[in-house]
Amino acid sequence: MFRTALRNVLAHKARLLMTVLAVMLGVAFVSGTLVFTDTLGNAFRNQSAKSYDNVAVAVTTRADQRDAKTPGITAATLKKIQGLDGVDSATGRVSGFAGVADPDGKLIGNGWSNTGGNYSPGSNGKDSAYTLVDGKGPDAADRIALDQETAKKGEYHVGDRVRVATNGPVKEYTLAGVFTTEDGAVNAGGSLVLFDTPVAQQLYLRSGEFRDVNIAAAAGASAEKLLAGVEPLLPKDAEAKTGKALADEQAKQIESGLSSLNTMLLAFAAIALFVGVFLITNTFTMLVAQRTKELALMRAVGASRRQVKRSVLLEAAVVGAIASVIGFVLGLGLATGLRSVMSQFGGKIPAGPLIVSPTAVAAAFGVGVLITVLAAWLPARRAAKIPPVAAMNSVHATATVKSLVLRNSIGGVLTLLGAAGIVAGAAAGSDGRTLIGIGAFFALVGVIVLIPLLSRPVIALVRPLLKRLFGVSGKLAAQNAVRNPRRTGATASALAIGLTLVTGISVLGVTLGQAIDRMTTDNIKADYLVSMASGNSLDESALKALEKADGVSAVSPRQDAWMKFGNQEIGANGVAPGDVAKLFAIKTVSGSVDSLGDGKIAVSEDTAKSHHWKTGDTVPVVYDDGKKANLKVGAVYEDNEFLSRILIPKNLLDPHVTHADILEVWLKMDGGESAANEKALVKALGDNPAISIMDRQDIRDTFGGFINTALNIMYGLLAMALIIAVLGVVNTLAMSVFERQQEIGMLRAIGLDRRRVKRMIRLEAVVISLFGAVIGVGLGTFLGWAIGQTLKSDIPGYALVIPWDRIGLFLVLAALVGVLASLWPARSAAKLNMLTAIKTE
């Protein structure tokens, strides 16, 4: 039986190629994902461990320039640490944001990973954390060093003047040196600027203080003993850990961060393999149909049902193993490619070997072989159940009425259960997502079971149209599409699954995108939003500069603060009275926002209700510095997504804060948005590369752009499932042509020419593809609506949007899939010799 199985594999290479392709793509995705995440994790773990190679103990504090109450490590404390037994060296560190401008004045890097720090040379004149490749470390207030990648991007060389932005105005420094580093921020696509230590302390903390200290042990010294000696010297809130403990912590964080990526990619691989099951089942059904007489003869000469079944499953295992080998090799290429793509997008991945773990190998081969064998089990079972005499008299056996009734009953029950779960989940709001997921699974399985039953009435609706437009070819195509409902259903199911996911994601994405866009349009009147690219606070000097900029008609900061009302802390925004109403669409429930100019506060409607406040009430407040005051409520306004729950005049807030926490500045300008106005703002800010200036469209893109990005990623990942679905259509048509050789020969003999034979096969493919697409689009829209209902309460202005343009495109693409998939089967059918075909049994 083993030799028979191998012979059959070699005898049907073309048919099995499609199964190999389907399994191969799924296995490539599984193995590629596992190898990629293992490689990535190993590289970052090694990098993390390397960064702590010379660190026996690391001290970290919560010291902040804006908080004088939380001290850092003073120079005196650092000297005591350096004097401990077993300490080889102790290096103080300070760090913060620093952005470097390229020759065009644009920021190098992505903002959040642009950092600055201090260069701290030891007795040998070098800082062990950085390796200089050109020049020397910064040794004066006007000198800096840059990491090699940033210097390359900015085309900077030692001796050049470099414009650097921190949280204050832009300054120019002389480039003293270029270095290499394993710093994580640089590897994430950012930049690193090193200053002389006194300069870095003034920029990021306070003179004479450090935020962190890295301690290197002398030869033979124990890190644990050093830790015990260091801890008593540290100020309150400071924390000390061994370098090994920190490296282990980072390794766990890296593993946790990669697990979500791993899960997402494996989920798409599972979808592709699930779709592939239908293709594999169809392939083996076709192979069994072709060998019905052969299998019957084997039964007649003594082969048992178990042996026949085993031979088909063994054949499937061989095919699965071959596909797994090819897929695994492709997976290695995919992992390498993903690594390159990440580098292209600015994410520098540390160097390291490709990690091929036993888990990845076992998963790839286990999945490939197991999926193929499971998919072939039903055809093998059917082949084994056919009696020898019946098999010799029939090309293929049809399903009994009893089996179809049972199948349709099960499908109907599953579909109703799934639909009920989805509707119940939608009605439950944000707590119903799990219920929707369970319901979606049952609904999808139920529809797949019911698709053969649905195929007849649905395709019957388009039969008159096909006949009217394409004549005999159209009529025959519609009849052929429902000749074998099970096979048609299996093929359509593959497309339906892919388009259910694509449509559901599209409905949800477009609906959320438009809701966010409406939220932006309805709540904002401002022309521009100014903020730090790093996400840090703007310096007060930036606000003053914008207030004096040419063409500015209204300007207000959104200064964050916390105030205590009774026992509850509530977030507030310090704003400019008078101008804030010109920049935001503030809809008042009572009172007037103009009352801010009289020293009153404005409160959001929900906050007013929860505290039982109303316009005119006087409320006691404790500011962040502990000072108390009584403030009068001058207005109650509808919640605005861009404003906090309480608005307070900035001039009332400023005396109680050491550093104004200005996250954003909003502006309205004479003439609205224009290149000239934007240029005026850039000039007013000193051409600062670290400050982002966004117009209304940029604001929309910032809040809604990630949805389009996510949609494009999803479409790309789901494309693999649709490719497998295309192979399924090819398979079904090839099987259909094989079963109808005699019929096609007769049609040719009575006058149906080759052109109309090709058209018949193409139309059959289009009908099957569109049938699957319609089912998928309908189910996907239903799921998109249900999931949207669970998000409705969290997104103001949410309203379901059906993206008819995209749905139309999906249907067109489904039809195109049918046309492309029919090329080879249609050509084969047209080339059949009519006399040979007529004689075929």
Side-chain angles (χ1 to χ4, degrees):
M1 297 307 291
F2 180 71
R3 286 198 301 270
T4 302
L6 289 179
R7 184 201 67 195
N8 288 330
V9 170
L10 297 174
H12 302 96
K13 292 185 286 290
R15 296 282 184 269
L16 290 169
L17 177 62
M18 285 177 281
T19 294
V20 169
L21 285 171
V23 179
M24 178 188 75
L25 288 172
V27 169
F29 218 140
V30 171
S31 59
T33 295
L34 293 174
V35 171
F36 173 66
T37 50
D38 286 346
T39 300
L40 212 59
N42 181 71
F44 282 119
R45 280 192 296 272
N46 287 344
Q47 180 197 55
S48 173
K50 189 176 180 182
S51 65
Y52 288 105
D53 270 352
N54 298 318
V55 178
V57 175
V59 178
T60 57
T61 72
R62 298 178 184 176
D64 191 292
Q65 191 176 44
R66 297 175 298 179
D67 181 12
K69 296 177 184 178
T70 307
I73 305 296
T74 62
T77 303
L78 180 62
K79 193 170 183 180
K80 288 179 183 177
I81 293 172
Q82 290 170 335
L84 289 173
D85 288 340
V87 172
D88 182 56
S89 65
T91 307
R93 300 288 182 195
V94 285
S95 60
F97 170 77
V100 180
D102 67 12
D104 297 324
K106 302 296 183 183
L107 182 68
I108 297 174
N110 48 33
W112 61 268
S113 59
N114 295 112
T115 57
N118 64 307
Y119 186 81
S120 183
S123 56
N124 60 357
K126 297 179 180 179
D127 190 327
S128 59
Y130 311 103
T131 303
L132 288 164
V133 293
D134 193 12
K136 60 180 183 178
D139 54 4
D142 67 337
R143 292 177 177 270
I144 60 166
L146 288 178
D147 69 272
Q148 192 172 35
E149 285 296 316
T150 302
K152 183 179 177 182
K153 290 174 185 175
E155 300 176 6
Y156 290 121
H157 304 281
V158 171
D160 289 350
R161 298 289 286 175
V162 182
R163 297 177 71 248
V164 179
T166 52
N167 288 331
V170 180
K171 292 183 181 179
E172 279 199 356
Y173 298 86
T174 299
L175 183 62
V178 177
F179 60 89
T180 57
T181 177
E182 293 296 327
D183 187 273
V186 176
N187 285 321
S191 61
L192 178 58
V193 182
L194 296 179
F195 301 91
D196 186 32
T197 294
V199 174
Q201 287 175 326
Q202 289 174 357
L203 285 172
Y204 300 125
L205 195 55
R206 289 173 288 273
S207 294
E209 284 191 27
F210 299 93
R211 184 173 290 122
D212 307 316
V213 176
N214 291 336
I215 303 165
S222 163
E224 283 71 20
K225 286 185 179 179
L226 280 181
L227 180 63
V230 167
E231 285 179 328
L233 302 176
L234 302 180
K236 185 182 178 182
D237 294 330
E239 186 178 23
K241 289 184 179 181
T242 64
K244 183 179 182 306
L246 285 171
D248 290 342
E249 278 183 17
Q250 283 200 7
K252 287 180 182 176
Q253 289 171 0
I254 290 165
E255 190 174 334
S256 175
L258 290 174
S259 65
S260 56
L261 173 66
N262 197 29
T263 301
M264 183 184 74
L265 292 175
L266 286 175
F268 283 99
I271 291 167
L273 287 166
F274 184 53
V275 172
V277 166
F278 297 98
L279 169 58
I280 299 164
T281 302
N282 268 356
T283 299
F284 279 94
T285 299
M286 178 169 63
L287 293 176
V288 169
Q290 286 178 311
R291 290 161 34 212
T292 303
K293 286 194 174 182
E294 175 191 325
L295 293 172
L297 185 60
M298 289 172 61
R299 291 289 313 282
V301 297
S304 66
R305 285 186 176 184
R306 182 176 295 178
Q307 285 178 308
V308 170
K309 183 177 177 181
R310 194 182 298 157
S311 72
V312 176
L313 292 178
L314 187 59
E315 187 177 337
V318 171
V319 171
I322 294 169
S324 297
V325 170
I326 301 170
F328 186 75
V329 173
L330 283 177
L332 298 180
L334 178 63
T336 306
L338 284 171
R339 191 170 176 172
S340 301
V341 167
M342 282 190 69
S343 300
Q344 290 293 324
F345 280 95
K348 183 184 173 186
I349 299 173
L354 206 64
I355 303 300
V356 183
S357 66
T359 302
V361 177
F365 284 87
V367 164
V369 175
L370 185 64
I371 289 292
T372 311
V373 171
L374 286 176
W377 180 81
L378 195 57
R381 183 170 173 271
R382 286 177 185 162
K385 286 178 70 175
I386 299 173
V389 174
M392 289 179 183
N393 291 323
S394 175
V395 175
H396 66 85
T398 58
T400 64
V401 173
K402 181 181 176 183
S403 68
L404 289 175
V405 170
L406 180 63
R407 176 189 177 116
N408 295 336
S409 300
I410 292 171
V413 170
L414 290 174
T415 304
L416 287 173
L417 282 174
I422 292 169
V423 171
S430 58
D431 297 326
R433 289 166 199 161
T434 303
L435 192 56
I436 289 175
I438 296 169
F441 173 77
F442 280 108
L444 193 58
V445 173
V447 168
I448 289 170
V449 174
L450 279 179
I451 275 183
L453 176 66
L454 296 173
S455 63
R456 289 187 182 277
V458 173
I459 294 175
L461 292 174
V462 298
R463 188 181 301 165
L465 180 64
L466 289 171
K467 184 178 178 182
R468 190 177 304 114
L469 293 176
F470 303 103
V472 175
S473 296
K475 179 182 178 181
L476 291 172
Q479 291 174 342
N480 292 333
V482 294
R483 177 172 292 188
N484 189 327
R486 282 190 170 182
R487 192 167 61 235
T488 297
T491 305
S493 295
L495 278 168
I497 293 166
L499 281 171
T500 294
L501 296 170
V502 169
T503 305
I505 289 168
S506 296
V507 169
L508 196 59
V510 171
T511 299
L512 291 176
Q514 291 200 18
I516 291 172
D517 191 60
R518 278 195 303 273
M519 181 179 72
T520 307
T521 306
D522 293 346
N523 290 321
I524 296 173
K525 294 180 183 177
D527 297 319
Y528 291 99
L529 163 62
V530 175
S531 61
M532 290 292 290
S534 62
N536 295 333
S537 300
L538 284 159
D539 191 73
E540 190 86 37
S541 61
L543 175 61
K544 290 187 169 79
L546 289 169
E547 289 172 340
K548 298 174 184 176
D550 293 338
V552 172
S553 59
V555 58
S556 175
R558 190 175 72 81
Q559 180 175 327
D560 275 11
W562 287 91
M563 299 191 296
K564 202 167 186 179
F565 294 86
N567 294 322
Q568 185 180 4
E569 276 195 330
I570 302 178
N573 282 157
V575 296
D579 281 1
V580 69
K582 300 175 185 177
L583 299 166
F584 298 95
I586 303 175
K587 299 172 184 176
T588 54
V589 176
S590 62
S592 171
V593 181
D594 293 338
S595 63
L596 290 167
D598 301 324
K600 298 178 182 179
I601 62 172
V603 181
S604 70
E605 187 176 13
D606 283 350
T607 304
K609 284 180 179 177
S610 63
H611 289 81
H612 307 290
W613 293 339
K614 60 183 183 298
T615 302
D617 285 354
T618 299
V619 295
V621 59
V622 179
Y623 289 103
D624 199 40
D625 63 353
K627 300 273 180 76
K628 297 179 180 179
N630 291 310
L631 299 175
K632 184 170 282 191
V633 177
V636 175
Y637 61 91
E638 293 181 11
D639 286 27
N640 186 304
E641 295 300 315
F642 293 89
L643 293 172
S644 191
R645 293 157 58 185
I646 291 178
L647 303 181
I648 181 171
K650 185 178 188 302
N651 61 317
L652 282 184
L653 192 61
D654 282 347
H656 303 284
V657 295
T658 308
H659 295 278
D661 193 8
I662 304 172
L663 292 179
E664 301 162 353
V665 176
W666 296 80
L667 303 107
K668 198 162 186 64
M669 303 191 73
D670 297 331
E673 300 170 33
S674 68
N677 278 339
E678 188 169 336
K679 190 174 181 181
L681 294 178
V682 171
K683 183 180 178 183
L685 292 166
D687 199 16
N688 191 325
I691 295 181
S692 165
I693 300 173
M694 293 190 285
D695 59 23
R696 290 172 70 86
Q697 187 56 52
D698 293 332
I699 296 168
R700 285 194 189 102
D701 293 342
T702 299
F703 286 94
F706 73 94
I707 292 177
N708 290 327
T709 302
L711 278 177
N712 291 332
I713 292 171
M714 296 291 186
Y715 290 155
L717 292 171
L718 287 170
M720 185 174 65
L722 294 176
I723 289 171
I724 294 174
V726 172
L727 297 175
V729 178
V730 174
N731 227 10
T732 293
L733 293 175
M735 188 188 302
S736 180
V737 170
F738 161 73
E739 290 178 354
R740 288 155 34 210
Q741 287 185 65
Q742 190 177 60
E743 177 188 316
I744 292 170
M746 289 293 294
L747 290 171
R748 290 290 316 284
I750 61 175
L752 195 69
D753 58 23
R754 287 185 175 181
R755 181 173 58 84
R756 283 189 287 182
V757 169
K758 285 183 179 180
R759 183 186 297 167
M760 176 183 71
I761 302 298
R762 279 198 297 269
L763 288 173
E764 183 182 345
V766 170
V767 166
I768 293 173
S769 298
L770 284 176
F771 169 58
V774 168
I775 297 292
V777 164
L779 189 54
T781 303
F782 181 45
L783 286 174
W785 163 80
I787 296 170
Q789 291 298 109
T790 68
L791 303 170
K792 195 173 182 178
S793 60
D794 300 324
I795 302 173
Y798 178 92
L800 180 67
V801 178
I802 307 295
W804 296 111
D805 54 342
R806 299 195 188 197
I807 287 175
L809 179 62
F810 297 156
L811 294 175
V812 169
L813 288 175
L816 183 62
V817 161
V819 172
L820 293 176
S822 67
L823 292 178
W824 172 53
R827 185 168 176 270
S828 299
K831 287 178 65 178
L832 283 174
N833 183 293
M834 66 181 74
L835 295 178
T836 304
I838 290 170
K839 290 189 293 181
T840 301
E841 295 183 11

